[in-house]
Amino acid sequence: MAKKKKTVLLSKADAIARLDTMIPILYRNIVNAIRIEATMEAGNALIQTLPEKALPGADAFNTIMQSLAFDLAMHLARLYDVGNRSRHANERDVASIPLAIRLLRQKRCQTALKARARNWLDSHAYAGIFERDCEKALERVSANYSETFKGKFGRGGLKTLKAFRDIFMAHSLMKELDAKPMYNHLFRLTDSAKAFVEDARLAVSGGNSSLDDQERIFLNSANEFWRMALLGERFDEWAMSN
């Protein structure tokens, strides 16, 4: 009879240290994901407005979009990676949303993070405010994670994403893939990951830069590029006409 593996325990300090390591990695991944999403969104939106649907070099445009979609799918696969299931979650060496939420929902981690939030600034006047900000961010993190699994592209979408990553992107397995992630599917998961990471970053480190603001910057840059690439229109000319 095989021996049951011992549960790998983490001290509270080690759990917080894992979160401190994970969150910056998740943040880098989601920033790259929303940059890709904005580039795809701007290009697709402009194509829809063109009076002539027969776009010169359409194959090249489609290749660019497909490559961006694959890159976005890979970023999302990393963000939602549960790691090697044959190992205990505490031993898995990946930074991902599922492994982060497992710690962020633990009462001991929440207590430690709220206590640490009181010292985000060297001012006791704001200690209570920062603690409440951390507490509310933790509540949103938990709610956002639960929301990810709802709707048309929720749990089924994550399953499709994992199969696509395992069979097609990470390996070339000799298996049939029933479905591929669609643009709306990828955008939905990106938005869910964005909401999660923004609040998780606030709860863990006090970082409160807006990912929505970054997305708007990326979208403006993407619009500038696509209008020049597809219409031969310089940004200063386009800005003056709007």
Side-chain angles (χ1 to χ4, degrees):
M1 183 176 178
K3 290 184 179 180
K4 186 177 180 180
K5 290 185 177 180
K6 287 185 177 180
T7 300
V8 181
L9 300 177
L10 282 179
S11 68
K12 181 170 65 176
D14 286 340
I16 296 299
R18 283 178 72 87
L19 285 170
D20 285 337
T21 301
M22 277 189 194
I23 298 303
I25 297 172
L26 297 182
Y27 185 75
R28 288 196 299 271
N29 267 315
I30 192 58
V31 168
N32 284 332
I34 62 176
R35 180 185 284 112
I36 296 166
E37 179 192 39
T39 303
M40 294 175 66
E41 190 174 3
N44 284 328
L46 183 56
I47 286 293
Q48 298 303 315
T49 67
L50 296 181
E52 296 293 335
K53 298 303 181 183
L55 178 71
D59 285 346
F61 178 82
N62 291 333
T63 298
I64 292 169
M65 284 298 178
Q66 186 177 60
S67 297
L68 289 171
F70 287 174
D71 197 11
L72 179 55
M74 184 60 81
H75 276 83
L76 291 170
R78 285 197 294 264
L79 283 163
Y80 287 105
D81 187 9
V82 297
N84 187 346
R85 291 184 181 274
S86 67
R87 302 176 66 186
H88 190 277
N90 290 340
E91 291 184 307
R92 299 174 197 170
D93 57 354
V94 298
S96 71
I97 288 173
L99 294 180
I101 191 62
R102 182 178 172 276
L103 298 176
L104 289 168
R105 280 178 168 169
Q106 293 179 12
K107 293 296 183 183
R108 60 175 186 159
C109 290
Q110 293 180 359
T111 299
L113 290 172
K114 287 187 287 186
R116 191 167 72 170
R118 297 180 65 86
N119 298 309
W120 281 345
L121 290 179
D122 294 329
S123 173
H124 293 296
Y126 296 100
I129 294 174
F130 290 153
E131 183 177 355
R132 287 191 294 275
D133 287 345
C134 179
E135 183 177 24
K136 290 182 182 299
L138 288 167
E139 291 172 357
R140 292 193 299 271
V141 159
S142 185
N144 287 336
Y145 187 70
S146 297
E147 195 66 26
T148 301
F149 296 89
K150 298 178 182 178
K152 182 178 179 181
F153 300 122
R155 191 177 301 276
L158 287 168
K159 184 177 179 181
T160 298
L161 178 67
K162 185 180 186 308
F164 186 63
R165 179 260 183 198
D166 291 347
I167 295 173
F168 186 78
M169 293 190 297
H171 311 284
S172 294
L173 300 184
M174 292 185 290
K175 294 182 179 180
E176 290 294 328
L177 186 62
D178 292 336
K180 294 180 181 179
M182 298 179 292
Y183 288 166
N184 288 342
H185 169 190
L186 296 175
F187 292 170
R188 156 73 161 78
L189 291 178
T190 301
D191 289 343
S192 294
K194 180 178 69 173
F196 179 93
V197 173
E198 184 166 295
D199 283 321
R201 184 168 179 254
L202 174 60
V204 171
S205 68
N208 63 352
S209 58
S210 170
L211 287 172
D212 283 338
D213 287 346
Q214 290 199 49
E215 186 173 12
R216 280 189 286 272
I217 293 170
F218 294 149
L219 192 57
N220 287 338
S221 179
N223 277 321
E224 181 178 353
F225 168 77
W226 284 120
R227 297 192 74 85
M228 181 65 183
L230 299 178
L231 304 179
E233 198 174 276
R234 295 187 60 83
F235 178 71
D236 50 1
E237 296 171 349
W238 173 64
M240 289 179 63
S241 65
N242 285 273

